[in-house]
Short mmCIF file of all heavy atoms in Angstrom, two decimals:
data_model
loop_
_atom_site.label_atom_id
_atom_site.label_comp_id
_atom_site.label_asym_id
_atom_site.label_seq_id
_atom_site.Cartn_x
_atom_site.Cartn_y
_atom_site.Cartn_z
N LEU A 26 24.97 -1.49 21.55
CA LEU A 26 24.45 -0.66 20.49
C LEU A 26 25.17 -0.96 19.16
O LEU A 26 26.42 -0.94 19.12
CB LEU A 26 24.55 0.82 20.83
CG LEU A 26 23.93 1.86 19.87
CD1 LEU A 26 22.38 1.76 20.04
CD2 LEU A 26 24.40 3.25 20.25
N GLY A 27 24.38 -1.27 18.11
CA GLY A 27 25.00 -1.50 16.83
C GLY A 27 25.35 -2.89 16.47
O GLY A 27 25.65 -3.24 15.31
N ASN A 28 25.37 -3.79 17.49
CA ASN A 28 25.72 -5.19 17.26
C ASN A 28 24.52 -5.95 16.67
O ASN A 28 23.39 -5.77 17.15
CB ASN A 28 26.22 -5.85 18.51
CG ASN A 28 27.65 -5.52 18.84
OD1 ASN A 28 28.24 -4.66 18.18
ND2 ASN A 28 28.23 -6.21 19.81
N ARG A 29 24.75 -6.88 15.76
CA ARG A 29 23.71 -7.70 15.17
C ARG A 29 23.49 -8.86 16.15
O ARG A 29 24.42 -9.51 16.62
CB ARG A 29 24.13 -8.23 13.80
CG ARG A 29 24.29 -7.19 12.79
CD ARG A 29 24.85 -7.71 11.50
NE ARG A 29 23.88 -8.42 10.68
CZ ARG A 29 23.96 -9.66 10.36
NH1 ARG A 29 24.91 -10.46 10.82
NH2 ARG A 29 23.02 -10.25 9.59
N LEU A 30 22.18 -9.11 16.44
CA LEU A 30 21.82 -10.17 17.31
C LEU A 30 21.05 -11.17 16.45
O LEU A 30 20.04 -10.86 15.80
CB LEU A 30 20.86 -9.66 18.42
CG LEU A 30 21.41 -8.48 19.26
CD1 LEU A 30 20.34 -7.96 20.17
CD2 LEU A 30 22.61 -8.91 20.08
N ALA A 31 21.59 -12.44 16.43
CA ALA A 31 21.02 -13.45 15.57
C ALA A 31 20.63 -14.68 16.40
O ALA A 31 21.32 -15.06 17.38
CB ALA A 31 22.03 -13.86 14.51
N SER A 32 19.50 -15.31 16.01
CA SER A 32 19.08 -16.57 16.62
C SER A 32 19.22 -17.68 15.70
O SER A 32 19.22 -17.49 14.45
CB SER A 32 17.57 -16.38 17.10
OG SER A 32 16.76 -16.13 15.95
N GLY A 33 19.31 -18.91 16.24
CA GLY A 33 19.53 -20.05 15.41
C GLY A 33 18.19 -20.69 14.93
O GLY A 33 17.13 -20.11 15.20
N PRO A 34 18.28 -21.77 14.13
CA PRO A 34 17.03 -22.36 13.65
C PRO A 34 16.12 -22.96 14.67
O PRO A 34 14.91 -23.09 14.38
CB PRO A 34 17.59 -23.40 12.68
CG PRO A 34 18.96 -23.76 13.20
CD PRO A 34 19.49 -22.43 13.78
N GLY A 35 16.65 -23.32 15.85
CA GLY A 35 15.78 -23.98 16.83
C GLY A 35 15.43 -23.24 18.03
O GLY A 35 14.79 -23.73 18.90
N SER A 36 15.83 -21.95 18.07
CA SER A 36 15.48 -21.16 19.29
C SER A 36 15.46 -19.67 18.92
O SER A 36 15.97 -19.22 17.90
CB SER A 36 16.59 -21.38 20.32
OG SER A 36 17.84 -20.90 19.85
N GLY A 37 14.85 -18.85 19.85
CA GLY A 37 14.80 -17.45 19.70
C GLY A 37 15.65 -16.80 20.74
O GLY A 37 16.54 -17.40 21.34
N MET A 38 15.40 -15.51 20.95
CA MET A 38 16.14 -14.73 21.92
C MET A 38 15.30 -13.65 22.49
O MET A 38 14.52 -13.01 21.80
CB MET A 38 17.39 -14.11 21.25
CG MET A 38 18.25 -13.25 22.16
SD MET A 38 19.51 -12.31 21.25
CE MET A 38 20.43 -13.65 20.52
N LYS A 39 15.44 -13.43 23.82
CA LYS A 39 14.77 -12.34 24.46
C LYS A 39 15.75 -11.40 25.13
O LYS A 39 16.71 -11.90 25.76
CB LYS A 39 13.75 -12.88 25.52
CG LYS A 39 12.99 -11.82 26.25
CD LYS A 39 12.06 -12.42 27.27
CE LYS A 39 11.34 -11.26 28.06
NZ LYS A 39 10.43 -11.81 29.11
N PHE A 40 15.51 -10.09 25.03
CA PHE A 40 16.37 -9.15 25.74
C PHE A 40 15.56 -8.00 26.16
O PHE A 40 14.47 -7.69 25.63
CB PHE A 40 17.58 -8.72 24.89
CG PHE A 40 17.23 -8.05 23.62
CD1 PHE A 40 17.08 -6.70 23.54
CD2 PHE A 40 17.11 -8.80 22.44
CE1 PHE A 40 16.81 -6.09 22.31
CE2 PHE A 40 16.80 -8.17 21.21
CZ PHE A 40 16.66 -6.79 21.18
N THR A 41 16.08 -7.29 27.21
CA THR A 41 15.37 -6.16 27.72
C THR A 41 16.27 -4.94 27.64
O THR A 41 17.42 -5.02 28.07
CB THR A 41 14.98 -6.33 29.18
OG1 THR A 41 14.14 -7.53 29.29
CG2 THR A 41 14.18 -5.18 29.72
N LEU A 42 15.82 -3.85 27.07
CA LEU A 42 16.56 -2.65 26.97
C LEU A 42 16.59 -1.88 28.29
O LEU A 42 15.75 -2.17 29.20
CB LEU A 42 16.08 -1.75 25.84
CG LEU A 42 16.12 -2.40 24.45
CD1 LEU A 42 15.44 -1.45 23.44
CD2 LEU A 42 17.55 -2.71 24.04
N ASP A 43 17.41 -0.92 28.42
CA ASP A 43 17.56 -0.13 29.70
C ASP A 43 16.34 0.61 30.01
O ASP A 43 16.15 1.07 31.15
CB ASP A 43 18.76 0.77 29.59
CG ASP A 43 20.08 -0.01 29.73
OD1 ASP A 43 20.04 -1.24 30.11
OD2 ASP A 43 21.17 0.55 29.41
N ASP A 44 15.48 0.89 29.02
CA ASP A 44 14.19 1.61 29.32
C ASP A 44 13.06 0.63 29.60
O ASP A 44 11.92 1.03 29.68
CB ASP A 44 13.80 2.48 28.12
CG ASP A 44 13.49 1.68 26.85
OD1 ASP A 44 13.65 0.43 26.92
OD2 ASP A 44 13.12 2.27 25.88
N ARG A 45 13.41 -0.68 29.82
CA ARG A 45 12.46 -1.75 30.13
C ARG A 45 11.63 -2.22 28.96
O ARG A 45 10.66 -2.97 29.17
CB ARG A 45 11.55 -1.35 31.35
CG ARG A 45 12.33 -1.05 32.60
CD ARG A 45 11.40 -0.86 33.74
NE ARG A 45 12.13 -0.52 35.01
CZ ARG A 45 12.67 -1.43 35.82
NH1 ARG A 45 12.58 -2.72 35.53
NH2 ARG A 45 13.30 -1.06 36.89
N THR A 46 11.97 -1.78 27.76
CA THR A 46 11.33 -2.33 26.58
C THR A 46 11.81 -3.76 26.39
O THR A 46 13.04 -4.05 26.38
CB THR A 46 11.70 -1.49 25.36
OG1 THR A 46 11.04 -0.21 25.44
CG2 THR A 46 11.17 -2.14 24.05
N ALA A 47 10.86 -4.71 26.22
CA ALA A 47 11.19 -6.11 26.05
C ALA A 47 11.06 -6.51 24.59
O ALA A 47 10.07 -6.24 23.90
CB ALA A 47 10.31 -6.98 26.91
N VAL A 48 12.05 -7.18 24.08
CA VAL A 48 12.13 -7.57 22.67
C VAL A 48 12.42 -9.10 22.62
O VAL A 48 13.23 -9.58 23.26
CB VAL A 48 13.22 -6.88 21.89
CG1 VAL A 48 13.18 -7.18 20.46
CG2 VAL A 48 13.05 -5.32 22.04
N ILE A 49 11.64 -9.78 21.79
CA ILE A 49 11.85 -11.16 21.54
C ILE A 49 11.99 -11.36 20.02
O ILE A 49 11.16 -10.81 19.25
CB ILE A 49 10.66 -12.02 22.01
CG1 ILE A 49 10.46 -11.82 23.56
CG2 ILE A 49 10.90 -13.55 21.74
CD1 ILE A 49 9.18 -12.44 24.08
N ILE A 50 12.94 -12.14 19.59
CA ILE A 50 12.97 -12.56 18.18
C ILE A 50 12.85 -14.08 18.09
O ILE A 50 13.26 -14.79 18.95
CB ILE A 50 14.31 -12.10 17.54
CG1 ILE A 50 15.53 -12.64 18.25
CG2 ILE A 50 14.42 -10.55 17.47
CD1 ILE A 50 16.88 -12.37 17.52
N GLY A 51 12.21 -14.48 17.01
CA GLY A 51 11.96 -15.93 16.82
C GLY A 51 13.16 -16.55 16.20
O GLY A 51 14.26 -15.99 16.03
N PRO A 52 13.00 -17.88 15.86
CA PRO A 52 14.08 -18.59 15.18
C PRO A 52 14.53 -17.96 13.89
O PRO A 52 13.74 -17.34 13.22
CB PRO A 52 13.49 -19.97 15.03
CG PRO A 52 12.35 -20.09 16.01
CD PRO A 52 11.81 -18.70 16.10
N ASN A 53 15.79 -18.12 13.56
CA ASN A 53 16.39 -17.62 12.30
C ASN A 53 16.10 -16.13 12.09
O ASN A 53 15.67 -15.70 11.00
CB ASN A 53 15.77 -18.46 11.11
CG ASN A 53 16.33 -19.84 11.04
OD1 ASN A 53 17.48 -20.12 11.30
ND2 ASN A 53 15.44 -20.81 10.79
N SER A 54 16.29 -15.40 13.14
CA SER A 54 15.98 -13.94 13.05
C SER A 54 17.31 -13.13 13.35
O SER A 54 18.19 -13.62 14.05
CB SER A 54 14.92 -13.55 14.10
OG SER A 54 13.73 -14.25 13.88
N VAL A 55 17.35 -11.93 12.80
CA VAL A 55 18.43 -11.05 13.02
C VAL A 55 17.92 -9.67 13.27
O VAL A 55 17.13 -9.12 12.50
CB VAL A 55 19.44 -11.01 11.78
CG1 VAL A 55 20.49 -9.97 12.05
CG2 VAL A 55 19.99 -12.36 11.52
N ILE A 56 18.38 -9.03 14.38
CA ILE A 56 17.91 -7.74 14.75
C ILE A 56 19.13 -6.92 15.30
O ILE A 56 20.08 -7.48 15.80
CB ILE A 56 16.76 -7.80 15.80
CG1 ILE A 56 16.03 -6.45 15.91
CG2 ILE A 56 17.33 -8.19 17.16
CD1 ILE A 56 14.74 -6.55 16.73
N THR A 57 19.05 -5.59 15.18
CA THR A 57 20.08 -4.69 15.64
C THR A 57 19.42 -3.47 16.34
O THR A 57 18.42 -2.99 15.87
CB THR A 57 20.92 -4.16 14.47
OG1 THR A 57 21.46 -5.29 13.73
CG2 THR A 57 22.09 -3.29 14.97
N VAL A 58 20.04 -3.09 17.46
CA VAL A 58 19.59 -1.84 18.08
C VAL A 58 20.47 -0.75 17.47
O VAL A 58 21.60 -0.58 17.81
CB VAL A 58 19.80 -1.86 19.65
CG1 VAL A 58 19.26 -0.60 20.30
CG2 VAL A 58 19.11 -3.13 20.24
N ASP A 59 19.83 0.02 16.58
CA ASP A 59 20.60 1.11 15.88
C ASP A 59 20.71 2.39 16.69
O ASP A 59 21.70 3.04 16.60
CB ASP A 59 19.91 1.39 14.57
CG ASP A 59 20.24 0.36 13.47
OD1 ASP A 59 21.21 -0.41 13.71
OD2 ASP A 59 19.56 0.35 12.44
N GLU A 60 19.65 2.73 17.47
CA GLU A 60 19.67 3.91 18.21
C GLU A 60 18.98 3.62 19.58
O GLU A 60 18.09 2.89 19.67
CB GLU A 60 18.93 5.09 17.54
CG GLU A 60 19.52 5.59 16.24
CD GLU A 60 18.78 6.74 15.69
OE1 GLU A 60 18.20 7.59 16.42
OE2 GLU A 60 18.64 6.81 14.37
N PHE A 61 19.43 4.32 20.60
CA PHE A 61 18.85 4.20 21.95
C PHE A 61 18.93 5.52 22.67
O PHE A 61 20.05 5.99 22.90
CB PHE A 61 19.49 3.08 22.73
CG PHE A 61 18.84 2.89 24.08
CD1 PHE A 61 17.69 2.10 24.18
CD2 PHE A 61 19.28 3.46 25.23
CE1 PHE A 61 17.05 1.94 25.40
CE2 PHE A 61 18.69 3.31 26.44
CZ PHE A 61 17.54 2.54 26.55
N ALA A 62 17.79 6.07 23.02
CA ALA A 62 17.73 7.32 23.76
C ALA A 62 16.53 7.30 24.75
O ALA A 62 15.72 6.39 24.68
CB ALA A 62 17.68 8.51 22.89
N ALA A 63 16.48 8.29 25.61
CA ALA A 63 15.35 8.32 26.60
C ALA A 63 13.97 8.37 25.93
O ALA A 63 12.95 7.91 26.50
CB ALA A 63 15.55 9.49 27.53
N ASP A 64 13.89 8.99 24.68
CA ASP A 64 12.61 9.14 24.06
C ASP A 64 12.61 8.60 22.62
O ASP A 64 11.70 8.94 21.83
CB ASP A 64 12.19 10.60 24.12
CG ASP A 64 13.21 11.47 23.42
OD1 ASP A 64 14.30 10.99 23.06
OD2 ASP A 64 12.95 12.64 23.23
#
């Protein structure tokens, strides 16, 4: 929680949260999970 996730120019990243929500970011992307709760 709170860490910046960054992908490089030639690849993306996929991760699954504990509620089974699936997130994919494309190349050269930056995303952060700011909050996580049951709802």
Side-chain angles (χ1 to χ4, degrees):
L26 188 70
N28 280 10
R29 295 170 80 244
L30 307 171
S32 60
S36 64
M38 178 189 301
K39 179 181 180 181
F40 60 91
T41 303
L42 299 175
D43 288 345
D44 64 357
R45 299 186 182 278
T46 292
V48 183
I49 303 171
I50 58 174
N53 290 319
S54 301
V55 177
I56 197 169
T57 306
V58 184
D59 281 347
E60 295 182 35
F61 182 84
D64 58 352

